[in-house]
Amino acid sequence: MNNADYAYPSNVECAHRVSIPPPQPFVKTLKNSLKETFFPDDPLRQFKNQPPSRRFVLGLQYFLPILEWAPRYNFEFLKSDLIAGITIASLAIPQGISYAKLANLPPILGLYSSFVPPLVYAMMGSSRDLAVGTVAVASLLTASMLGEEVDAKENPTLYLQLAFTATFFAGVFEACLGLLRLGFIVDFLSHATIVGFMAGAATVVCLQQLKAILGLEHFTQGTDLVSVMRSVFTQTHKWRWESGVLGCCFLFFLISTRYFSKRKPKFFWISAMAPLTTVILGSLLVYLTHAEKHGVQVIGELKKGLNPPSFGDLVFVSPYLMTAIKAGIITGVIALAEGIAVGRSFSMFKNYHIDGNKEMIAFGMMNIVGSCTSCYLTTGPFSRSAVNYNAGCKTAVSNIVMAVAVMLTLLFLTPLFHYTPLVVLAAIIISAMLGLIDYEAAMHLWHVDKFDFVVCMSAYIGVVFGSVTIGLVIAISISLLRVLLFVARPRTLVMGNIPDSMIYRNVEQYPNASNVPGILILEIDAPIYFTNASYLRERIARWINEEEDRIKSSGETSLQYVILDMSAVGNIDTSGISMLEEMKKTADRRELKLVLANPGGEVMKKLNKSKFIENIDQEWIYLTVGEAVGACNYMLHTCKSNPAKKDDQAETWNNV
């Protein structure tokens, strides 16, 4: 039925009043608030009603998940993990060497970083599918941020020490986020930000590989597109056609195997083995043809043996301490965002849960331990984890198998990499980076949310034309700006009645929803805080002016009531209460009645404490928009001859 013809409901015995929650002690309120902020998943639930011995065991299992699943481990799991571990080791070895070169670090550090950190993660991580190792973006960030202070060629010892120190602080930062339950900070890196940043970083990494592809010995220290292109085209006379041909052939081979494995998922091992195959073929080709004497650069001698201790190399003194801290925090955040996102993606496929805070602690500890054992920053790269998942891994034992394979390589096989050409490593990096340029995700953002697309492209352009740091800052700034806009400029919507119902919805979303004569219904779509109180006051006043102008032009019943639907107002502060008080005074001056519908418990509690409920009279606060409209309609139709009776009739309605 149309509410314009609303009749007094004689069959209603009583109307429900909006309740005011009973007062709670401040300490209890604070405790609940802190619990919801830092412990939304209630991790302590498993400790309830347990004896002390059991609590101790559960505590150990929380920090060392391997103690939970190891007793259930069986031979079938071992067979699957053995195959997966060997498969990802074949990818980890060439990638580790490549990414260490990208970070301007000795290539052997890439192997060191694929030995110790995976062992730590296998004990502390909660993901069954994450394969731990170095990543290109973190390697590029390390080179970019440390390279601003120290030249890796002029002072390699100090540069190496700073890399270890930055890894140490990245681990401390990650572990602290997990222990203090501050993982939500990483959520400020939105999906759009990560898509744009990763694509930009991948583009920059590919551009950096032109040095090896073209066989150039001198190259720009800048990472932006203009600097790289200038460096490339001012040295055309130094290009080495041998390196170019070799690089293009291996790149074509790697891309072809990736494409084939994507089309035929059963043959995932082909693309997984391709990087190691290119290393073997490239090394044989250089060795047999002596190509290193004709301009093809090679890795050279790799130190044999396991990771040497590096705790004594950490730098905790000025003037480089702040550089290491800054590099550690920024690379740590990026590594966390990538690792947790990858872990959650694969856990969804297998229908199990991973604890983000546990993962942060695991990442932090493996980087702290890694920094003391000659490793640089590690996380869970997507490419390696995808291979691990497709290879059929069952538990984190696949990381242990990979670590053992890398250990054997360090002990016995490192001399075989002497003739590995740098151009092969460049081809491996480029083929891996092309998978990070997710243009389909960017197009999806364009179709779904243009603002997210702007954030994505801002991050991409900032990285490619500025620097990795500039792109990251721009992307995060725009994301935070959007959050502030959501808070500071909440939506207010005009609501109308859906025909033949008591339902009220946004008139823009439902064009068939009709206005109720003499009543303006507004929905506030966000909590009311100091950041948006002034805006809401002005916006509501504008809605009232526009409604009165519309009524004058159409000749309808004059505006008598303004109903604020506060269903979406989860909270309100003192500035918001002051705004409502001002709106009440403004409405009174204009001979309008302000009515509230469905304010939440927290809102009612604060309105009661501020005496606003006494000011507005609780008779003008209703449980639903339908009740509020019904009461206003009843008074409009029964009090036309005597408007002074409105308040009495409102109380009568509430007592019926």
Side-chain angles (χ1 to χ4, degrees):
M1 69 180 179
N2 192 311
N3 279 288
D5 302 322
Y6 186 86
Y8 182 84
S10 58
N11 60 330
V12 177
E13 295 182 358
C14 65
H16 297 287
R17 288 181 180 269
V18 179
S19 299
I20 302 172
Q24 298 284 348
F26 173 74
V27 174
K28 184 177 181 180
T29 303
L30 179 62
K31 181 181 177 181
N32 291 336
S33 179
L34 291 175
K35 181 179 179 181
E36 290 302 316
T37 302
F38 298 107
F39 302 98
D41 55 343
D42 194 14
L44 303 178
R45 178 171 53 87
Q46 59 182 330
F47 295 94
K48 294 177 181 177
N49 303 320
Q50 297 289 347
S53 59
R54 180 59 181 165
R55 289 182 180 181
F56 177 74
V57 172
L58 289 173
L60 284 179
Q61 290 178 348
Y62 181 83
F63 290 104
L64 296 171
I66 191 173
L67 298 178
E68 181 182 354
W69 54 261
R72 304 191 302 270
Y73 200 74
N74 56 44
F75 184 70
E76 291 297 321
F77 284 3
L78 179 60
K79 287 195 297 184
S80 299
D81 288 337
L82 194 62
I83 295 171
I86 294 172
T87 306
I88 57 176
S90 67
L91 178 65
I93 292 169
Q95 274 192 351
I97 295 172
S98 304
Y99 294 158
K101 290 290 292 181
L102 180 62
N104 293 330
L105 293 168
I108 194 67
L109 260 67
L111 297 182
Y112 291 161
S113 301
S114 296
F115 172 45
V116 174
L119 295 176
V120 177
Y121 184 82
M123 292 187 292
M124 302 188 68
S126 58
S127 173
R128 306 170 194 167
D129 303 282
L130 206 67
V132 171
T134 55
V135 289
V137 174
S139 301
L140 176 66
L141 273 170
T142 299
S144 174
M145 300 189 71
L146 298 184
E148 293 176 358
E149 299 292 333
V150 179
D151 191 297
K153 292 182 179 179
E154 294 179 2
N155 200 342
T157 302
L158 178 58
Y159 184 87
L160 185 62
Q161 292 173 341
L162 287 180
F164 292 150
T165 309
T167 302
F168 175 81
F169 282 115
V172 171
F173 178 71
E174 291 170 340
C176 287
L177 286 182
L179 289 170
L180 298 175
R181 314 287 295 181
L182 296 174
F184 60 86
I185 292 176
V186 180
D187 294 335
F188 281 101
L189 287 174
S190 65
H191 173 67
T193 301
I194 293 174
V195 169
F197 177 78
M198 289 297 186
T203 303
V204 168
V205 170
C206 291
L207 291 172
Q208 292 291 310
Q209 302 319 302
L210 291 176
K211 175 185 178 183
I213 294 290
L214 299 174
L216 300 175
E217 295 183 3
H218 303 287
F219 207 68
T220 178
Q221 295 295 319
T223 59
D224 62 285
L225 178 65
V226 175
S227 298
V228 171
M229 290 295 99
R230 184 186 297 118
S231 182
V232 167
F233 288 105
T234 54
Q235 302 184 75
T236 51
H237 57 289
K238 296 182 180 179
W239 291 4
R240 295 281 187 175
W241 68 268
E242 300 94 340
S243 292
V245 171
L246 201 61
C248 291
C249 290
F250 281 122
L251 182 60
F252 177 77
F253 170 72
L254 290 167
I255 293 175
S256 300
T257 56
R258 178 189 289 268
Y259 177 77
F260 178 77
S261 294
K262 186 177 289 188
R263 295 291 299 270
K264 305 285 186 181
K266 291 188 296 185
F267 297 98
F268 68 90
W269 53 270
I270 293 179
S271 64
M273 297 292 292
L276 187 59
T277 303
T278 59
V279 168
I280 294 172
L281 292 176
S283 300
L284 285 173
L285 185 63
V286 170
Y287 177 76
L288 295 175
T289 62
H290 301 288
E292 77 277 10
K293 298 179 181 179
H294 300 282
V296 177
Q297 301 171 6
V298 296
I299 290 178
E301 184 179 355
L302 287 181
K303 185 179 177 182
K304 184 187 289 188
L306 299 181
N307 306 32
S310 57
F311 181 78
D313 293 327
L314 301 181
V315 179
F316 296 118
V317 295
S318 297
Y320 300 110
L321 179 61
M322 290 309 299
T323 300
I325 292 175
K326 183 176 73 170
I329 290 176
I330 292 178
T331 54
V333 169
I334 296 299
L336 269 184
E338 180 175 359
I340 292 176
V342 170
R344 284 176 176 166
S345 298
F346 289 109
S347 69
M348 287 170 56
F349 295 146
K350 290 188 176 179
N351 196 27
Y352 68 93
H353 173 72
I354 66 169
D355 187 330
N357 289 292
K358 273 189 192 178
E359 291 295 281
M360 292 178 189
I361 296 172
F363 288 156
M365 291 307 300
M366 75 183 187
N367 280 313
I368 291 173
V369 174
S371 68
C372 300
T373 53
S374 300
C375 305
Y376 78 104
L377 189 72
T378 52
T379 184
F382 178 80
S383 57
R384 205 175 299 184
S385 300
V387 170
N388 194 32
Y389 172 82
N390 289 324
C393 69
K394 298 299 182 183
T395 68
V397 169
S398 59
N399 277 290
I400 298 176
V401 174
M402 176 185 70
V404 171
V406 173
M407 179 189 72
L408 295 175
T409 302
L410 286 168
L411 289 174
F412 306 110
L413 302 179
T414 49
L416 300 180
F417 293 98
H418 182 281
Y419 289 100
T420 301
L422 296 184
V423 67
V424 168
L425 302 183
I428 292 172
I429 291 175
I430 292 175
S431 67
M433 290 301 96
L434 292 177
L436 292 180
I437 304 176
D438 195 348
Y439 66 91
E440 291 182 353
M443 293 304 298
H444 179 72
L445 292 174
W446 170 259
H447 289 301
V448 175
D449 191 325
K450 301 294 191 294
F451 197 100
D452 267 354
F453 179 78
V454 171
V455 172
C456 174
M457 293 309 299
S458 298
Y460 181 83
I461 293 170
V463 171
V464 173
F465 290 94
S467 68
V468 175
T469 307
I470 290 174
L472 188 60
V473 169
I474 290 175
I476 293 177
S477 299
I478 295 178
S479 296
L480 290 177
L481 176 62
R482 188 177 195 188
V483 172
L484 291 175
L485 286 175
F486 277 139
V487 175
R489 293 294 183 268
R491 294 188 307 163
T492 54
L493 310 170
V494 175
M495 302 176 73
N497 175 240
I498 302 296
D500 302 319
S501 75
M502 288 289 290
I503 300 172
Y504 295 84
R505 291 294 183 266
N506 176 14
V507 295
E508 292 184 0
Q509 183 180 0
Y510 297 89
N512 62 331
S514 59
N515 294 313
V516 182
I519 304 173
L520 174 62
I521 311 169
L522 298 176
E523 178 185 5
I524 300 175
D525 205 20
I528 305 176
Y529 294 126
F530 65 95
T531 54
N532 59 28
S534 296
Y535 167 78
L536 286 173
R537 180 177 57 248
E538 295 168 1
R539 189 67 186 93
I540 292 171
R542 200 171 97 203
W543 278 122
I544 294 173
N545 292 334
E546 291 175 355
E547 179 67 8
E548 289 184 333
D549 291 342
R550 186 189 68 80
I551 288 173
K552 287 179 182 178
S553 62
S554 62
E556 295 179 9
T557 305
S558 62
L559 185 62
Q560 299 289 327
Y561 299 95
V562 177
I563 300 175
L564 298 183
D565 179 11
M566 303 184 73
S567 303
V569 182
N571 211 328
I572 191 170
D573 66 0
T574 52
S575 299
I577 295 171
S578 298
M579 183 275 290
L580 290 179
E581 290 172 345
E582 291 180 31
M583 287 302 305
K584 170 71 168 55
K585 293 176 182 177
T586 302
D588 289 344
R589 286 197 301 268
R590 300 175 69 162
E591 297 184 350
L592 300 174
K593 197 65 184 179
L594 186 65
V595 183
L596 303 184
N598 195 27
E602 192 66 24
V603 175
M604 282 296 290
K605 187 164 59 177
K606 292 184 179 180
L607 293 181
N608 182 53
K609 288 181 178 180
S610 65
K611 308 298 183 183
F612 179 77
I613 293 179
E614 293 181 10
N615 184 20
I616 196 176
D617 292 336
Q618 190 157 0
E619 289 77 14
W620 295 104
I621 303 177
Y622 293 91
L623 194 61
T624 66
V625 174
E627 284 188 8
V629 172
C632 295
N633 250 329
Y634 171 72
M635 288 178 277
L636 276 173
H637 290 93
T638 58
C639 305
K640 286 181 180 179
S641 59
N642 192 354
K645 292 184 180 179
K646 284 182 183 178
D647 289 350
D648 294 336
Q649 293 291 348
E651 187 165 358
T652 301
W653 168 265
N654 278 280
N655 291 329
V656 171

